[in-house]
């Protein structure tokens, strides 16, 4: 499979009252054609800012460092003009967000909003745009689409609003869909519907997907590969099966153990002490070291790099690196 | 005959109907948020109340605390008729039943330090004053795992998990018997969620508290609850001891809910039932079984569309409201999905 997206050294920071927030720090990743990459990590670890940066949607006071590379099919988005970027956004790479209500305009019908997205990249008549919108509504499983296009966002349930957002994102047949917590605000039964829809659409339309979520259960069921973020960095990246079977980073292991699950005894849960610090105050050296159960002296003095600890398995951890060297 | 101890909380035929309102397209109709529910909660028991958004969980909690007035029914707490109390006795009762909300931000005064927020109920209820009250606040902070140096901070200076600990400390400050927890960990990251759940387990053991634990996440509820009530569109559809509710759910809704919970194991993916559509608008609930429009049970028939199934005893300690619960549930192929990589 060929590379669709190639990101190198992506670094995004914000100037805040409390100092410089390094929200995304030297993130490199690759997305292959047709694959689903899951991105997980606790709140504040930089998942959303990474997604926004991929489309250069970071506004002031945010800033993407110049040395960042965001190549879509070999063309660097960092070098593109605003007009060229508009050709990419929506048409090639589309994004859906956690809160459909926040992304939909309450005073326009949902149909009108999808029409607008259809017409943004193609010169089609109003009637043709509407016909396409109805078709898209049908595609995303909105019942009675010809009627629902005339409804306002508040007349739709949360699940239907998210379907309308997906319809809008698909309006120009994007090659990549970035979904930022697309089901977090939804009930588990509706979440199951939306995930099934995304998986089905992805296969049918041959898209690649970046699925951002804090729910490891969703990642396990849907993603081919997973990137784990902590403190604005990718700390581990591997094929889904390998990540869940043999997590190499203590953060990944700790996250996995903290998840309440139905398939294991309901004993006390393992916890991670403390909380994610603000992006203005990442700890020095390894950013996870103050919360890590296996901290060594080295972890407090030098930042580990992202190194190979298994086949297609990258880990940012001194201990994992040492263990890998010993095993090899 | 076994003697049954008096429950701490006893709810009978409780109903909450909101006034008729109409949407843009729908005709005005009253909204039945809680529809004739009854249950007991024993001293020291932890009861989990689950159901999707809008099923009436928060409304039920508010009725018990009389933060919302019931339309009909009764609530007895330790033998006291709650719905009949005057304002003064109600205040005394509120000391014994405390509630913790999902969003501690919404329930904490942004201009009051968190130490003062915990001290306030201690003084309002005359539990301690002055230095003794300060001392009690320090103890409570330690008990919920907050460094006492945080007393002078304001809510916005704390993380979500820390604010939720403050919410719990505030609720505990008046030494309640019953703690109603309305989605206390839903807004938290899994790592912090685990910290707060463990804290709740410790507190229960240490203080012998009784919990009514509300959540929509079944995997979370399983860690706290000994018994489960599943609510759908204002009604109870199943009640069972937790172990049985999870190992052999009887109601098609409970089965569907459980099957929809994501499994954090790529090799442990199982067949799941994907329900079609949404929960009905509570102003226009369908005739017959409220769940029938979405029910995937292949046995579904006219009786389900016309006759309301009663919540009846299915086994000892188990009740279910379904005409067909005794039949093994098979679902149409179109609703059986499995995510494949
Ligand atoms: N506009 C902004 N100004 C200043 N700081 C910001 C801004 N946007 C994000 N940040 C900071 O960047 C860090 C990463 O935020 P981001 O929203 O990417 O996290 P996330 O992983 O998506 O978290 P969540 O799970 O809560 O959505 C956080 O510390 C956040 O406070
Ligand atoms: N004050 C009110 N006036 C009118 N309707 C209300 C009021 N409060 C709640 N409702 C309605 O009652 C029903 C039950 O709401 P409730 O908040 O109890 O559900 P819930 O199970 O707690 O949902 P969630 O999981 O979203 O918190 C909903 O349809 C809601 O819109
Ligand atoms: Mg985010
Ligand atoms: Mg609620």
């Amino acid at each position: 499979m060929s590379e669709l997206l190639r990101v190198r050294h992506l670094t995004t920071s914000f100037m805040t009252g409390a100092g410089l927030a390094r929200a995304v720090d030297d993130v490199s990743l690759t997305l292959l054609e047709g694959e689903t990459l899951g991105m997980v990590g606790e709140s504040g670890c930089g998942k959303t800012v990474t997604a926004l940066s991929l489309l250069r949607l970071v506004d002031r006071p945010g800033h993407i460092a110049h040395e960042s590379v965001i190549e879509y099919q070999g063309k660097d988005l960092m070098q593109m003009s605003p007009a060229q970027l508009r050709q990419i956004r929506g048409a090639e790479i589309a994004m859906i967000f956690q809160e459909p209500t926040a992304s939909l305009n309450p005073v326009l019908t949902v149909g009108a909003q999808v029409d607008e997205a259809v017409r943004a990249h193609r010169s089609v008549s109003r009637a043709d745009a509407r016909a396409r919108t109805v078709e898209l509504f049908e595609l995303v499983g909105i019942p009675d689409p010809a009627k629902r296009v005339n409804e306002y966002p508040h007349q739709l349930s949360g699940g239907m609003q998210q379907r309308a957002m997906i319809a809008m994102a698909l309006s120009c047949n994007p090659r990549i869909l970035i979904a930022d917590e697309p089901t977090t605000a939804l009930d588990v039964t509706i979440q199951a519907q939306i995930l099934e829809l995304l998986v089905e659409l992805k296969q049918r339309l041959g898209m690649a997907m970046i699925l951002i979520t804090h729910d490891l259960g969703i990642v396990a069921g849907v993603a081919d590969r997973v990137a784990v973020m902590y403190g604005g960095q990718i700390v581990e990246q591997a094929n889904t099966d390998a990540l869940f079977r043999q997590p190499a980073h203590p953060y990944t292991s700790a996250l996995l153990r903290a998840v309440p699950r139905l398939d294991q005894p309901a004993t006390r849960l393992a916890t991670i002490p403390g909380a994610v610090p603000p992006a203005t105050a990442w700890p020095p050296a390894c950013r996870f070291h103050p919360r890590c159960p296996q901290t060594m002296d080295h972890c407090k003095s030098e930042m580990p790099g992202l190194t190979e600890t298994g086949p297609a398995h990258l880990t940012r951890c001194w201990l994992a690196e040492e263990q890998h060297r010993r095993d090899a | 005959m076994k003697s049954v101890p008096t429950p701490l909380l006893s709810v009978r035929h409780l109903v909450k109907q909101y006034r008729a309102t109409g949407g843009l397209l729908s005709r005005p109709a009253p909204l039945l948020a809680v529809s004739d529910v009854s249950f007991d909660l024993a001293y020291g028991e932890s009861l989990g109340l689950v159901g999707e958004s809008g099923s009436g969980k928060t409304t039920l909690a508010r009725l018990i605390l009389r933060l919302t007035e019931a339309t009909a029914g009764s609530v007895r707490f330790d033998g006291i008729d709650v719905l009949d109390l005057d304002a003064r006795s109600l205040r005394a009762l509120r000391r014994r039943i405390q509630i913790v909300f999902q969003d501690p931000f919404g329930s904490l005064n942004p201009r009051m330090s968190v130490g003062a927020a915990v001290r306030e109920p201690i003084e309002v209820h005359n539990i301690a004053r002055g230095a003794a009250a300060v001392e009690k606040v320090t103890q409570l902070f330690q008990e919920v795992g907050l460094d006492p140096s945080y007393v002078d901070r304001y809510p916005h200076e704390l993380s979500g998990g820390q604010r939720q600990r403050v919410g719990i400390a505030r609720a505990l400050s008046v030494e309640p018997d019953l703690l109603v927890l309305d989605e206390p960990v839903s807004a938290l990251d899994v790592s912090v969620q685990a910290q707060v759940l463990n804290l709740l387990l410790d507190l229960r053991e240490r203080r012998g508290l009784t919990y009514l634990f509300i959540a929509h996440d079944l995997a979370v509820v399983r860690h706290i609850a000994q018994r489960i009530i599943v609510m759908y569109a204002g009604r109870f559809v199943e009640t069972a001891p937790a172990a049985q509710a999870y190992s052999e759910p009887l109601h098609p809704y409970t089965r569907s809910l459980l099957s929809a919970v994501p499994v954090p194991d790529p090799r442990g993916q199982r067949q799941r039932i994907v329900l079609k559509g949404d929960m009905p608008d509570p102003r226009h609930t369908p005739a017959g079984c409220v769940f029938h429009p979405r029910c995937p049970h292949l046995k579904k028939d006219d009786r389900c569309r016309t006759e309301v199934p009663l919540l009846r005893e299915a086994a000892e300690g188990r009740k279910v409201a379904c005409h067909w619960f005794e039949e093994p549930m098979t679902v149409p192929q179109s609703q059986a999905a499995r995510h494949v990589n």
Side-chain angles (χ1 to χ4, degrees), chain A residues 41-43 151 154-155 157 160 187-193 195-196 199 203 214-218 220-224 240-241 244-245 255-256 258-275 291, chain B residues 24-25 51-53 159 189-195 197-199 201-202 216 218-220 222-223 246 253 256-258 260-270 272-278 294 334 336-337 339-341:
Chain A
E42 289 168 281
S43 185
E151 293 186 358
H154 77 269
Q155 291 174 283
S157 66
M160 286 300 150
D187 277 306
V188 62
T189 61
I190 309 299
Q191 167 172 291
Q193 291 174 1
L195 289 175
E196 193 201 12
V199 168
Q203 271 162 7
H214 63 271
D215 189 332
L216 287 156
I218 292 178
V222 179
D224 301 303
T240 307
D241 205 51
F244 281 82
R245 290 289 139 184
L255 264 188
L256 282 169
V259 182
R261 15 195 325 173
L262 293 176
D263 56 351
Q264 279 174 11
T267 48
R268 276 176 78 85
L269 291 159
T271 60
I272 309 178
R291 301 177 73 192
Chain B
L24 270 177
L25 297 179
E52 61 199 280
S53 185
S159 71
D189 265 315
V190 309
S191 61
V192 182
Q193 168 179 290
Q195 293 170 7
L197 288 175
N198 285 347
L199 170 66
L201 291 174
D202 291 342
H216 62 268
L218 282 135
V220 164
R222 185 161 163 267
H223 280 266
Y246 285 95
Y253 178 61
S256 311
L257 263 187
L258 277 169
V261 176
V263 185
D265 178 358
R267 295 193 197 165
Q269 300 300 305
R270 45 169 159 56
R272 61 171 76 167
I273 306 162
V274 180
L275 290 179
K276 298 215 169 106
D278 294 303
R294 295 174 85 192
S334 62
H339 291 147
V340 278
N341 287 316

Side-chain angles (χ1 to χ4, degrees), chain A residues 122-195:
Chain A
R122 272 189 248 164
S123 47
V124 292
S125 71
R126 277 178 192 285
D128 287 349
R130 179 46 62 95
R132 171 82 178 133
T133 298
V134 173
E135 198 181 289
L136 285 163
F137 271 39
E138 181 131 41
L139 180 73
V140 299
I142 297 179
D144 209 354
K147 187 179 142 233
R148 298 316 274 272
V149 287
N150 294 315
E151 293 186 358
Y152 291 87
H154 77 269
Q155 291 174 283
L156 303 183
S157 66
M160 286 300 150
Q161 289 181 1
Q162 195 56 288
R163 284 175 195 263
M165 289 303 301
I166 295 171
M168 198 184 298
L170 297 181
S171 61
C172 295
N173 295 320
R175 301 286 299 276
I176 300 176
L177 181 65
I178 302 177
D180 188 3
E181 309 259 10
T183 61
T184 304
L186 305 174
D187 277 306
V188 62
T189 61
I190 309 299
Q191 167 172 291
Q193 291 174 1
I194 298 289
L195 289 175

Side-chain angles (χ1 to χ4, degrees), chain A residues 71-107:
Chain A
E71 272 178 17
Y72 171 71
Q73 297 197 313
K75 291 161 288 185
D76 190 357
L77 270 69
M78 288 302 291
Q79 311 301 328
M80 286 186 188
S81 67
Q84 286 172 313
L85 277 174
R86 273 195 299 275
Q87 290 302 312
I88 298 283
R89 290 185 197 134
E92 305 288 330
I93 308 176
M95 187 157 172
I96 49 178
F97 300 92
Q98 171 173 351
E99 292 277 348
T101 25
S103 330
L104 287 167
N105 184 336
V107 301

